[in-house]
Amino acid sequence: NHTFNSYSKNTGLTKYDKEKYQQALTANQKLVDAEKAKMHANAAIAAKDEFNKLSNTGNSDYLVNKQVEGIGVKYGRRFIAVPIHGIDNDLRGIQKIFNDGSKRFTTGAKIKGGFHLLGKINPDGAIHFAEGYSTAATAHQAINQATVVCFNAGNLSPVIAEFRKKYPDNKFVICADNDQFGEVNTGLVKATEAAAKHTCSIALPVFKDLSSKPTDFNDLQL
């Protein structure tokens, strides 16, 4: 007599083993998600405490060099603090931008889907999206319309997805970075992907002088 188990052709696992394995994976993922949520919550608490202690006024060599205003930011010693909010206006963390242009996020903060809004949203108006603070501030100062800091190219789509749910009828414009001097034009690639996915138009800076290797709308202003 022979006993046959229902082995998978690919793994050699029985159906029972596969179910137990999947249960273990699910349980492990729940632990990972719980730890991540705890990390994000602790980061938000730390960020709120620090942000509240910072000054509403101050000086920033970074803002002077970029020729933009500090909109909704706070000031620390040799840095500005850009708040990172979720779509429900919860403060998740801050991005510190130092005088030399270096940047640092709150450790453990949830960046995906997080943003900083410049200006107010008009129900019938366009909403603009940009990667960095200086690019968004440049666009906002030029057009005086709501502009959203997404912090990096990979975060354009997650942020725009949240806004599209809340503002389904507004026109969306991505003020894309033109990373034309890299092996991959990451700014344009990510902007194009987000535009196709969330029904947006794209504004791309075009430069007459390429000697300084410009990439974004702030470079165009300077």
Side-chain angles (χ1 to χ4, degrees):
N1 294 330
H2 297 282
T3 301
F4 295 94
N5 292 324
S6 56
Y7 285 97
S8 164
K9 292 180 180 179
N10 297 323
T11 65
L13 295 176
T14 66
K15 182 179 179 181
Y16 174 79
D17 289 335
K18 289 171 68 177
E19 289 176 351
K20 296 297 289 184
Y21 178 67
Q22 188 58 51
Q23 289 172 4
L25 283 179
T26 301
N28 184 65
Q29 187 59 51
K30 287 182 179 179
L31 286 174
V32 171
D33 291 344
E35 285 298 315
K36 189 177 291 185
K38 183 178 179 181
M39 178 182 69
H40 290 159
N42 288 337
I45 292 171
K48 289 173 185 176
D49 182 59
E50 182 174 12
F51 196 68
N52 288 336
K53 292 177 181 177
L54 296 174
S55 175
N56 290 318
T57 59
N59 298 309
S60 166
D61 291 347
Y62 173 79
L63 295 179
V64 172
N65 293 336
K66 293 292 186 178
Q67 297 179 21
V68 294
E69 300 173 0
I71 305 169
V73 306
K74 287 196 172 185
Y75 297 81
R77 188 177 180 184
R78 296 191 295 274
F79 68 85
I80 60 170
V82 183
I84 305 167
H85 286 100
I87 198 67
D88 295 323
N89 205 37
D90 53 313
L91 182 66
R92 298 179 175 184
I94 59 177
Q95 182 190 54
K96 292 181 180 178
I97 306 180
F98 294 86
N99 284 338
D100 63 1
S102 60
K103 301 173 182 179
R104 188 169 69 217
F105 288 113
T106 302
T107 302
K110 183 180 180 180
I111 308 302
K112 185 177 180 180
F115 62 89
H116 176 50
L117 174 63
L118 309 182
K120 294 183 178 181
I121 295 175
N122 184 328
D124 300 318
I127 303 175
H128 294 71
F129 299 84
E131 289 185 35
Y133 178 83
S134 65
T135 303
T138 299
H140 177 66
Q141 290 173 191
I143 59 180
N144 196 30
Q145 293 181 348
T147 309
V148 181
V149 183
C150 298
F151 298 105
N152 60 62
N155 202 33
L156 283 169
S157 188
V159 170
I160 294 172
E162 294 296 323
F163 272 80
R164 184 52 83 195
K165 293 175 188 175
K166 193 169 183 177
Y167 304 99
D169 300 322
N170 287 66
K171 179 182 178 181
F172 285 7
V173 181
I174 301 175
C175 303
D177 281 14
N178 188 3
D179 300 321
Q180 56 192 316
F181 301 102
E183 290 186 13
V184 178
N185 193 330
T186 304
L188 184 56
V189 168
K190 292 298 184 181
T192 301
E193 290 175 355
K197 190 173 183 179
H198 306 294
T199 317
C200 312
S201 59
I202 295 177
L204 191 69
V206 178
F207 307 95
K208 293 181 179 179
D209 182 3
L210 301 178
S211 59
S212 62
K213 294 188 176 181
T215 60
D216 59 38
F217 279 98
N218 182 256
D219 293 332
L220 191 64
Q221 170 181 276
L222 300 178

